[in-house]
């Protein structure tokens, strides 16, 4: 290419202008007064990032990530390259300062910059941290018309499917369209189905991306509710390999919420009634049969993509011959973005003179796709096969080995696989970096860690290569071992990190867990390793509330009696306890839950682990309390402490639970002493005490129990403050069990009974959201009950039905705790409506409750409501006898609030 011709071609590129300089990132060129400026590759990368973020301080970490993404380099390298860049700019324009050093922070481009690029929609922050955000994508070339057309389609009812061959750039286009369509405060939720290998996991993947609980009986109903109430745009990516399930699911969502904005990507249409299709072909490329100048060729987006990718890998200024070769390659690849990037990555290691012949022969030889497959699919497969065959042995081996990972993996994960392919660590690390350089792996920084990922088509291709290799079984074994080891590390961190922190690190591991367990329990696998995997994965299932999946895995492990023989006693205890918790915290408590807890205690005792014995006994106590037997729970805990010589002070989580159950049993004075001691020792909100998993963060738990107690004792103001602090802390920790308990057991009932209907309404909506994320029956039942109670208090008779239905639902799920309380509130609602017979029926039903003699905290109010019914039936003397029983019971218990309520009721009765 001549210098003048090259300048004319580059001048047409979209550019940044500063002073007399013109920066063309897509062509990797810097012009000064129209003349090309020679810059090293590192210098150009540094300049591009600084100019793109002109006026901002760009940290050294960001520069290292951008310029040396796959290497650890010394600060000196950055200083030298910045110094060289400054000198190059100063030699041409000594009058201006372009790059300033910000001491201790980084560098800033300080000159005025004009950008003739079209405005790029910035990444919109998610409304809520519970949505999975889309991946970052590069600015698209040649897709302006597609972006406009799809944006217009999204304004019509139904969903839009972007249909095209693998590698056409469907995902990048979907994310870009979403960013253009979403304004400030609107969220984008992203579902990646590329890691889902079984159609059964399509629904869990969609629910997880939206923060909907995996434990719900029908998670898609939760998705539908969320889309009705939130202005978010949902992207469901890579549907083709699970298309039947994806089509059924998306059609159901779209039919229920026609106005929802949903983008789907697939290699073929989903073919449902509400689908709008946008067919996406490859990027535009020149017609080889037409006479075309180099300048004109450089205007095609396929050519621009190839050259910009190759330039990033170190290719020098493109010549006329080079551009002609690129046109030939892009034509053979049908303009598919992924194939072009792969080809350009490999081109970086070839001499320009060898490019044309080698690529041409390679593609001709690899045209082996199925005869009935689309030509574009054959071209992509040919490109992948060609790229693979160009790899040195160690890179080819590692590419195949890494295909075992379902999604992202880090350098340590990769290192764990080296031995399966007989790779020494140094050779493996070099191969890893070369796979990134050749675009067969993508690398992304996340929280200071580099994560790698294969494109879907690359992973599929590499997996086929692994399938026929002698390394396959050892690779699958090493993969399972690696996942087990990671999960064991995760378990150690689980007790000291918040849910947000912990899930941020390990949530995406679930697909690898499933794959490793599937191999381990296969006849060709290793069931003993599978049992260890199940034990190690328990915290992840528990944090995801995937109780059903966890139970299935535990049952699978338990059915392999030979494999269980080698499991340590503590492992057996973990399995049995997790099984019991899953049964307890299901939407409907499992009928064998009581037996499961006895088995848990048996194995905990057998483990010899004192801490785990405490956890098991406390778990059983929670089950007993939830099922309406608090006094039985107290006896169990106290008998255990006596037999072990345990002082509950040394087990603060257990002591907090003991105090809370004492409240239910009506032992308010003992509970008060325990909670005051706990508040002094553990109640400081600023201290990050570990979480009592499946229960609550300890400081939040102490406050919710204290709030409950203070309210019963008559100090409503302090109770409201304590409940609010418990809720705020749970929200800050993003720990849903802590939040659900704080609202359902303290904040919501306190606000409602004290008449603060606006606060109660806000808390009810918050609890309903928690119940969608955590499929715990008591949360759903409580949220539904108070929704009805609030309606009833506002004079809406429809509230009665909600209250009745919620009580029936709680009882069906064996959630008997607080049911007498709810029945009495329903009776009061009937009294207020003048329905005395219905009120009497509701209160009479309390007498049939199994645990009515054990759950004593609300006994004074049951007598009070009985008196109100008698008063409403014009039997004042009988009413007064009930009121007196209420006062006697409240005085004996120390329930000051009940005394006040009963005195008010007595004052309203005319005993003449």
């Amino acid at each position: 290419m001549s210098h003048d011709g090259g300048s004319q071609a580059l001048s047409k590129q979209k550019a940044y202008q500063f002073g007399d300089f013109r920066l063309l990132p897509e062509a990797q060129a810097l012009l000064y007064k129209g003349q090309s400026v020679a810059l090293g590759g590192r210098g150009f990368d540094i300049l591009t990032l600084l100019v793109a973020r002109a006026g901002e301080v760009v940290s050294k970490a960001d520069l290292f990530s951008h310029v040396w993404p796959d290497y650890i380099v010394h600060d000196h390298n950055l200083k030298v390259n910045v110094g060289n860049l400054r000198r190059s700019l100063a030699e041409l324009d000594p009058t201006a300062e372009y790059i300033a050093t910000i001491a201790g922070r980084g560098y800033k481009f300080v000159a005025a910059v004009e950008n003739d690029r079209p405005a790029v929609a910035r990444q919109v922050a998610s409304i809520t941290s519970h949505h999975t955000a889309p991946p970052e994508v590069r600015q698209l070339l040649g897709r302006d018309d597609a972006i406009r057309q799809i944006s217009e389609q999204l304004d019509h009812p139904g969903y839009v499917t972007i249909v095209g061959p693998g590698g056409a750039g469907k995902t990048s286009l979907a994310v870009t369209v979403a960013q253009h369509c979403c304004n400030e405060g609107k969220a984008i939720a992203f579902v990646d189905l590329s890691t889902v290998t079984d159609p059964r996991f399509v629904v869990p993947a969609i629910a997880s991306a939206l923060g909907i609980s995996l434990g719900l009986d029908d998670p898609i109903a939760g998705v539908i509710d969320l889309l009705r109430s939130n202005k978010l745009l949902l992207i469901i990516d890579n549907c083709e390999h699970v298309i039947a399930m994806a089509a059924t699911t998306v059609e159901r969502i779209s039919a229920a919420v026609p106005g929802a904005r949903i983008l789907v990507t697939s290699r073929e249409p989903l073919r449902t009634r509400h689908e709008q299709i946008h067919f996406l072909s490859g990027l535009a490329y020149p017609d080889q049969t037409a006479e075309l100048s180099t300048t004109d060729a450089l205007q095609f987006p396929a050519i621009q993509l190839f050259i910009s990718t190759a330039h990033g890998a170190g290719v020098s200024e493109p010549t006329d011959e080079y551009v002609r070769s690129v046109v030939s390659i892009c034509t053979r690849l049908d303009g598919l973005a992924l194939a072009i990037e792969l080809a350009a990555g490999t081109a970086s290691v070839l001499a320009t003179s060898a490019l044309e012949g080698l690529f041409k022969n390679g593609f001709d030889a690899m045209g082996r796709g199925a005869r009935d497959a689309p030509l574009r699919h054959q071209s992509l497969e040919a490109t992948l096969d060609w790229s693979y065959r160009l790899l040195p042995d160690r890179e080819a081996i590692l590419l195949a080995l890494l295909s075992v990972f379902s999604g992202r993996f880090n350098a340590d994960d990769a290192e764990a696989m080296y031995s399966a392919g007989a790779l020494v660590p140094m050779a493996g690390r070099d191969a890893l970096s070369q796979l990134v350089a050749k675009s067969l792996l993508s690398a992304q920084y996340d929280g200071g860690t580099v994560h790698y990922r294969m494109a879907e088509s690359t992973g599929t291709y590499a997996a086929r290569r692994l399938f026929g290799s002698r390394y396959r079984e050892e690779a699958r074994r090493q993969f399972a071992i690696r996942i087990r080891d990671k999960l064991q590390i995760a378990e150690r961190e689980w007790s000291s990190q918040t849910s947000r922190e912990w899930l941020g690190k390990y949530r995406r591991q679930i697909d690898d867990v499933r794959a490793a367990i599937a191999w381990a329990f296969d006849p060709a696998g290793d069931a003993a390793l599978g049992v260890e995997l199940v034990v190690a994965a328990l915290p992840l299932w528990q944090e995801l509330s995937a109780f059903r999946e966890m139970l299935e895995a535990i049952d699978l492990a338990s059915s392999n009696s030979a494999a269980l023989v080698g499991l340590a006693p503590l492992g057996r205890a973990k399995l049995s306890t997790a099984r019991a918790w899953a049964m307890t915290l299901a939407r409907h408590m499992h009928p064998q839950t009581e037996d499961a807890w006895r088995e848990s205690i048996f194995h905990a005792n057998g483990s010899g682990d004192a801490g785990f014995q405490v956890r098991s006994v406390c778990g059983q106590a929670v089950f007993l309390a939830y099922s309406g037997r608090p006094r039985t729970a107290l006896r169990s805990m106290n008998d255990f402490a006596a037999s072990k010589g345990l002082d509950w002070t040394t087990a603060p989580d257990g002591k907090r639970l003991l105090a809370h159950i004492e409240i239910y049993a009506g032992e308010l004075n003992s509970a008060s002493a325990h909670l005051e001691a706990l508040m002094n020792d553990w109640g400081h909100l600023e201290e990050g005490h570990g979480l009592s998993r499946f229960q609550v963060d300890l400081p939040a738990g102490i406050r919710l129990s204290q709030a409950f107690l203070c309210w019963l004792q008559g100090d409503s103001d302090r109770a409201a403050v304590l409940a609010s602090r418990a809720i705020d802390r749970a929200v800050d920790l993003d720990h849903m069990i802590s939040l659900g308990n704080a609202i359902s057991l303290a904040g919501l009932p306190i606000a409602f009974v004290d008449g603060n209907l606006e606060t109660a309404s806000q808390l009810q909506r918050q609890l309903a959201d928690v119940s969608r994320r955590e499929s715990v029956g008591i949360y759903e039942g409580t949220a539904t009950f108070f929704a009805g109670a609030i309606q009833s208090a506002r004079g809406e008779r429809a509230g009665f039905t909600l209250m009745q239905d919620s009580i029936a639902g709680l009882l069906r799920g064996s959630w008997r705790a607080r049911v007498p309380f709810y029945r009495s509130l329903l009776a009061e609602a009937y009294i207020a409506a003048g329905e005395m017979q219905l009120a009497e029926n509701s209160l009479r039903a309390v007498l049939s409750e199994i645990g009515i003699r054990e759950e004593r905290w609300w006994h004074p109010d049951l007598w009070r409501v009985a008196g109100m019914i008698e008063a409403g039936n014009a039997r004042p003397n009988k009413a007064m006898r009930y009121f007196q029983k209420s006062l006697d019971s409240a005085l004996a218990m120390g329930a000051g609030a009940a005394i006040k309520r009963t005195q008010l009721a007595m004052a309203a009765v005319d005993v003449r």
Side-chain angles (χ1 to χ4, degrees):
M1 180 190 294
S2 68
H3 177 76
D4 291 341
S7 296
Q8 290 174 10
L10 294 175
S11 67
K12 294 183 180 181
Q13 301 288 322
K14 298 169 184 176
Y16 295 97
Q17 186 81 34
F18 49 93
D20 290 323
F21 290 98
R22 188 172 179 80
L23 179 66
L24 302 159
E26 292 164 7
Q28 295 277 305
L30 177 67
L31 305 180
Y32 180 71
K33 295 182 178 179
Q35 301 299 310
S36 180
V37 178
L39 284 182
R42 305 299 189 195
F44 187 88
D45 288 343
I46 293 170
L47 179 63
T48 301
L49 183 59
L50 292 174
V51 170
R53 294 171 59 178
E56 300 179 26
V57 178
V58 181
S59 69
K60 293 180 181 179
D62 285 351
L63 284 163
F64 282 129
S65 173
H66 181 72
V67 181
W68 294 277
D70 307 309
Y71 300 94
I72 298 174
V73 297
H74 195 275
D75 280 3
H76 177 71
N77 289 10
L78 180 60
K79 292 178 182 178
V80 168
N81 279 279
V82 171
N84 291 339
L85 178 59
R86 280 176 168 148
R87 280 191 294 274
S88 296
L89 298 175
E91 286 173 0
L92 295 168
D93 184 6
T95 63
E97 180 183 5
Y98 291 100
I99 301 171
T101 301
I102 310 299
R105 298 176 62 193
Y107 299 93
K108 180 193 290 187
F109 196 84
V110 293
V113 175
E114 296 179 6
N115 180 3
D116 67 5
R117 293 176 178 270
V120 178
R122 66 181 180 82
Q123 176 73 35
V124 180
S126 177
I127 292 173
T128 166
S129 61
H130 307 318
H131 301 151
T132 298
E136 293 183 8
V137 298
R138 64 191 302 167
Q139 183 175 2
L140 298 185
L141 301 170
R143 297 300 193 195
D144 292 346
D145 287 343
I147 292 170
R148 176 183 54 78
Q149 293 167 11
I150 297 169
S151 298
E152 291 174 356
Q153 286 178 294
L154 281 173
D155 290 331
H156 296 95
Y159 65 95
V160 179
T161 303
I162 302 175
V163 177
K170 301 184 292 295
T171 301
S172 296
L173 179 58
V175 172
T176 302
V177 169
Q179 292 171 346
H180 276 264
C181 289
C182 286
N183 300 319
E184 181 72 23
K186 293 188 178 179
I188 303 169
F190 186 82
V191 183
D192 181 9
L193 296 183
S194 66
T195 62
V196 175
T197 58
D198 188 319
R200 291 176 299 174
F201 297 134
V202 168
V203 168
I206 294 173
S208 294
L210 289 167
I212 304 298
S213 170
L214 298 180
L216 285 172
D217 288 343
D218 184 8
I220 290 303
V223 172
I224 290 169
D225 288 343
L226 185 66
L227 290 175
R228 280 196 181 113
S229 59
N230 283 277
K231 301 297 183 182
L232 61 81
L233 194 151
L234 173 62
I235 300 173
I236 304 177
D237 195 39
N238 294 298
C239 292
E240 55 275 356
H241 58 302
V242 287
I243 195 162
M245 179 60 76
T248 300
T249 305
V250 177
E251 176 64 11
R252 178 185 169 193
I253 296 171
S254 188
V257 195
R261 298 199 292 176
I262 303 173
L263 269 174
V264 174
T265 74
S266 176
R267 293 187 186 181
E268 61 180 295
L270 272 59
R271 299 185 180 91
T272 72
R273 186 165 60 89
H274 289 84
E275 183 181 40
Q276 303 176 76
I277 301 172
H278 181 94
F279 288 102
L280 181 68
S281 59
L283 294 169
Y285 52 87
D287 182 356
Q288 280 189 293
T289 63
E291 288 292 330
L292 199 67
S293 69
T294 298
T295 300
D296 291 333
L298 287 170
Q299 306 314 305
F300 285 86
I303 311 306
Q304 294 171 358
L305 176 60
F306 188 105
I307 291 177
S308 66
T309 303
H311 264 289
V315 172
S316 59
E317 183 80 2
T319 63
D320 290 344
E321 178 187 1
Y322 187 90
V323 172
R324 280 195 300 271
S325 297
V326 171
V327 170
S328 175
I329 293 165
C330 291
T331 301
R332 291 179 179 278
L333 294 174
D334 285 343
L336 297 180
L338 173 61
I340 290 170
E341 290 176 344
L342 290 169
T346 306
S348 67
V349 302
L350 299 172
T352 302
S353 59
L355 191 63
E356 172 72 19
L358 184 59
F359 276 57
K360 182 176 181 179
N361 293 337
F363 291 139
D364 287 344
M366 296 302 157
R368 298 173 181 169
R371 293 185 183 278
D372 60 347
L375 291 176
R376 292 187 181 92
H377 182 72
Q378 293 188 31
S379 297
L380 179 57
E381 291 300 310
T383 303
L384 289 166
D385 198 22
W386 165 82
S387 299
Y388 181 85
R389 289 175 184 272
L390 286 178
L391 295 175
D393 284 348
R394 63 188 183 189
E395 293 174 25
I397 290 169
L398 183 60
L399 184 69
L401 294 177
L402 295 178
S403 68
V404 296
F405 292 102
S406 300
R408 298 194 320 167
F409 56 92
N410 58 33
D412 291 337
D413 295 328
E415 189 140 343
M417 301 304 300
Y418 296 159
S419 63
L423 297 174
V424 297
M426 184 173 293
R429 291 168 197 147
D430 179 68
L432 183 65
S433 66
Q434 288 303 309
L435 290 175
V436 173
K438 296 173 183 177
S439 299
L440 291 166
L441 291 179
S442 62
Q444 190 175 45
Y445 278 96
D446 183 5
T449 301
V450 181
H451 286 96
Y452 303 93
R453 193 178 186 280
M454 285 188 194
E456 175 197 355
S457 52
T458 308
T460 301
Y461 178 87
R464 286 204 300 270
R465 285 289 180 175
L466 180 64
F467 185 84
S469 78
R470 65 181 186 275
Y471 308 115
R472 181 176 183 239
E473 286 308 311
E474 184 59 24
R476 297 173 79 185
R477 176 178 295 279
Q478 291 302 321
F479 167 69
I481 291 171
R482 173 58 185 167
I483 299 305
R484 178 203 62 190
D485 292 347
K486 285 185 74 173
L487 292 173
Q488 288 175 346
I489 293 170
E491 183 182 20
R492 291 194 290 272
E493 296 175 353
W494 191 42
S495 62
S496 60
Q497 294 181 355
T498 66
S499 286
R500 183 186 291 115
E501 293 171 326
W502 195 85
L503 280 176
K505 291 176 66 176
Y506 297 109
R507 179 191 293 274
R508 297 182 185 181
Q509 207 70 53
I510 188 64
D511 290 322
D512 285 335
V513 170
R514 290 165 178 158
I517 289 175
W519 168 80
F521 288 108
D522 186 81
D526 183 340
L529 179 56
V531 170
E532 294 176 358
L533 274 163
V534 171
V535 173
L538 294 174
L540 182 57
W541 282 313
Q542 291 167 3
E543 279 298 313
L544 293 174
S545 293
F547 301 145
R548 189 174 303 165
E549 182 179 341
M550 182 173 73
L551 272 176
E552 289 174 357
I554 292 171
D555 289 343
L556 182 61
S558 300
S559 66
N560 282 269
S561 55
L564 282 176
V565 171
L567 184 64
L570 183 57
R572 291 293 298 268
K574 290 177 180 178
L575 274 181
S576 60
T577 300
R579 184 170 183 266
W581 271 124
M583 290 180 172
T584 302
L585 293 178
R587 193 173 187 181
H588 301 289
M589 219 180 288
H590 197 284
Q592 295 178 351
T593 304
E594 191 153 6
D595 292 337
W597 278 116
R598 280 196 288 267
E599 182 182 349
S600 168
I601 292 172
F602 172 79
H603 287 299
N605 290 335
S607 73
D609 186 302
F612 212 87
Q613 291 172 21
V614 171
R615 289 172 58 185
S616 192
V617 167
C618 288
Q620 184 194 48
V622 170
F623 158 70
L624 291 170
Y626 279 154
S627 55
R629 292 173 285 174
R631 299 189 74 80
T632 302
L634 285 182
R635 283 196 300 273
S636 172
M637 292 183 72
N638 288 326
D639 288 349
F640 170 78
S643 67
K644 300 293 183 180
L646 173 67
D647 181 354
W648 286 110
T649 303
T650 63
D653 292 308
K655 186 173 183 177
R656 201 283 309 180
L657 178 62
L658 182 74
H660 195 85
I661 295 175
E662 284 178 329
I663 298 173
Y664 283 146
E667 298 179 9
L668 304 190
N669 292 333
S670 178
S672 179
H674 285 142
L675 288 171
E676 287 297 333
L678 282 166
M679 180 67 82
N680 291 334
D681 294 336
W682 297 99
H684 305 294
L685 292 181
E686 65 274 14
E687 294 181 4
H689 184 70
L691 296 171
S692 304
R693 296 301 179 167
F694 276 121
Q695 286 302 297
V696 293
D697 163 78
L698 185 55
I702 293 169
R703 275 166 174 73
L704 81 85
S705 295
Q706 270 211 321
F708 182 29
L709 177 64
C710 288
W711 174 59
L712 292 177
Q713 290 175 326
D715 193 345
S716 291
D717 291 341
R718 187 182 181 212
V721 170
L722 288 166
S724 178
R725 289 180 179 174
I727 292 168
D728 290 345
R729 180 172 172 87
V731 169
D732 183 60
L733 294 173
D734 194 33
H735 191 248
M736 289 297 98
I737 299 296
S738 295
L739 181 58
N741 283 6
I743 297 174
S744 65
L745 303 182
L748 178 52
I750 290 171
F752 177 80
V753 175
D754 285 353
N756 300 322
L757 292 189
E758 188 57 40
T759 299
S761 183
Q762 292 173 1
L763 291 173
Q764 186 277 331
R765 290 193 295 270
Q766 196 173 5
L767 182 61
D769 181 61
V770 172
S771 74
R772 283 191 289 269
R773 292 184 61 192
E774 300 288 330
S775 185
V776 178
I778 199 169
Y779 296 164
E780 180 182 9
T782 302
T784 302
F785 177 84
F786 280 105
I790 292 166
Q791 287 183 16
S792 174
R794 289 172 173 166
E796 301 173 26
R797 295 187 64 87
F800 295 144
T801 301
L802 274 180
M803 296 166 80
Q804 291 168 340
D805 289 348
S806 68
I807 291 172
L810 287 166
L811 291 175
R812 281 196 303 272
S814 298
W815 296 94
R816 298 186 176 277
R818 296 192 173 212
V819 166
F821 168 52
Y822 298 147
R823 287 198 189 279
S824 77
L825 292 184
L826 176 60
E828 285 195 76
Y830 282 135
I831 292 171
E835 300 281 0
M836 292 301 165
Q837 186 57 55
L838 291 176
E840 186 172 345
N841 293 344
S842 180
L843 195 63
R844 194 179 301 279
V846 174
L847 300 177
S848 66
E849 294 300 330
I850 294 173
I852 185 60
R853 294 186 182 277
E854 293 203 23
E855 193 174 337
R856 300 180 179 181
W857 65 283
W858 199 246
H859 280 190
D861 285 273
L862 293 176
W863 290 116
R864 173 182 59 82
V865 174
M868 293 171 66
I869 293 171
E870 295 300 334
N873 288 327
R875 293 192 286 266
N877 292 328
K878 195 172 183 179
M880 283 300 178
R881 288 197 296 273
Y882 283 140
F883 288 146
Q884 189 58 52
K885 288 183 178 182
S886 173
L887 289 176
D888 292 342
S889 176
L891 286 168
M893 194 183 300
I899 293 173
K900 294 176 185 177
R901 285 190 291 268
T902 300
Q903 288 173 340
L904 287 172
M906 293 174 71
V909 175
D910 185 356
V911 294
R912 288 175 298 172

